[in-house]
Amino acid sequence: MKVMMTAASAALVAGAALAVSAAQAQSVAAVSPSAAPAIHSRLDDIVKSGTLRACATGDYKPYSYRRPDGQVEGIDVDLVASLAKSLGVKPVIVPTTWKGLMDDFTGGKCDIAVGGISVTLDRAARAYYSNVVMVDGKAPIVRCTDVAKYQTLADLNQPSTRVIANPGGTNERFARQYLPNATLTIYPDNVTIFKQIVDGKADVMVTDASETLLQHKLNPSLCPVNPDKPLQFGEKAYLLPRGDDIFKQYVDQWLNLAQKTGEYQKVVDKWLK
């Protein structure tokens, strides 16, 4: 039997076909990468501005130290310069303090924060961390004549022990948590703080093992206590904007290449050996 299609029926069929084609086109557009909205990243802002802003305290040798002439130097200053070079931009060191570090960073004063920053959960709640830059736990530094006297936490945690720490960072936190019985002084200048021990005004500072090694090099009368067996496990990494996976992936890949090619170790050796 032959079915006759009227003009009206043909129009209905053609309209339905067009509707299906339009729906299919919309579906394809929804999943097409070219049609998806661009994802904004701090990486784009850095390249566009031509500068990489890095927050650093400038008081923590060997990672970042502001010299009397105003120039900032150190392991992480050199590495920030390498990261900036990989992006074709200029590095700019933005001054901060340990107490104000997180507020300055999350407030947008810089794109990355560096300078011997320890990995902590409270910081991780407010920012991304890069991959680990260095494993570096806490160790005491004392006058070399007192090394045998301060071998354990129990030795340190005595009322007669004069502990000194810089404010606002993990050194102060360690002292308050693990040395509650010691006599604690919070000293505001992280550059001259070791001279307080040299001059006999304090007995111990517990800081990162890498810093104790450098300070021994700078002050031979001061000695690290078991820096190869730290009192507390610790890691260092760079702070990155929370939620910016594109920028984090770039920094992590740059760091991976720097470590694999030997560039990273060359910079570390320059300051620690």
Side-chain angles (χ1 to χ4, degrees):
M1 180 183 292
K2 188 179 288 187
V3 179
M4 302 298 294
M5 182 177 291
T6 64
S9 298
L12 287 172
V13 171
L18 287 172
V20 170
S21 297
Q24 289 175 335
Q26 290 176 352
S27 176
V28 171
V31 298
S32 173
S34 61
I39 300 174
H40 181 75
S41 170
R42 184 70 62 87
L43 188 65
D44 303 316
D45 296 335
I46 293 167
V47 173
K48 185 177 180 180
S49 68
T51 59
L52 173 65
R53 302 170 303 158
C55 280
T57 60
D59 65 352
Y60 188 10
K61 294 179 179 181
Y63 301 101
S64 77
Y65 171 65
R66 187 173 296 277
R67 299 186 328 215
D69 63 4
Q71 293 295 312
V72 185
E73 61 184 18
I75 291 173
D76 284 342
V77 177
D78 287 351
L79 290 172
V80 162
S82 171
L83 174 58
K85 183 179 180 181
S86 76
L87 290 166
V89 302
K90 294 181 179 180
V92 175
I93 301 299
V94 179
T96 187
T97 64
W98 290 111
K99 189 173 183 179
L101 172 65
M102 289 308 299
D103 287 340
D104 285 347
F105 182 70
T106 58
K109 288 188 176 181
C110 46
D111 307 305
I112 186 172
V114 304
I117 299 174
S118 297
V119 176
T120 64
L121 291 177
D122 56 334
R123 288 172 178 163
R126 301 179 64 187
Y128 271 179
Y129 273 110
S130 70
N131 286 344
V132 172
V133 176
M134 181 181 290
V135 176
D136 190 20
K138 298 295 183 186
I141 185 167
V142 303
R143 289 179 294 278
C144 293
T145 53
D146 290 339
V147 169
K149 184 178 178 180
Y150 297 114
Q151 285 289 304
T152 67
L153 272 177
D155 294 337
L156 297 169
N157 192 29
Q158 300 292 331
S160 59
T161 304
R162 298 171 299 167
V163 175
I164 195 166
N166 56 306
T170 55
N171 292 340
E172 179 184 359
R173 184 180 307 177
F174 181 94
R176 294 193 183 281
Q177 181 176 354
Y178 294 102
L179 306 174
N181 296 325
T183 302
L184 176 63
T185 297
I186 302 301
Y187 189 79
D189 186 354
N190 200 36
V191 176
T192 62
I193 192 169
F194 297 96
K195 193 172 186 302
Q196 299 296 301
I197 304 175
V198 173
D199 293 343
K201 297 177 181 178
D203 300 315
V204 178
M205 181 174 177
V206 179
T207 185
D208 297 318
S210 58
E211 186 175 32
T212 67
L213 295 172
L214 177 69
Q215 289 301 324
H216 172 61
K217 180 178 177 181
L218 298 175
N219 301 284
S221 64
L222 297 181
C223 284
V225 180
N226 304 321
D228 57 334
K229 298 177 182 178
L231 299 172
Q232 182 189 54
F233 172 78
E235 294 177 323
K236 295 189 183 304
Y238 300 145
L239 288 176
L240 301 168
R242 187 173 71 172
D244 195 336
D245 293 305
I246 293 174
F247 188 30
K248 173 175 167 52
Q249 288 171 7
Y250 185 90
V251 172
D252 286 345
Q253 185 56 31
W254 160 80
L255 179 60
N256 175 58
L257 291 172
Q259 292 172 330
K260 292 294 195 302
T261 61
E263 179 185 7
Y264 171 82
Q265 193 59 49
K266 183 179 179 180
V267 171
V268 171
D269 290 346
K270 170 186 171 182
W271 293 99
L272 288 182
K273 288 190 175 181

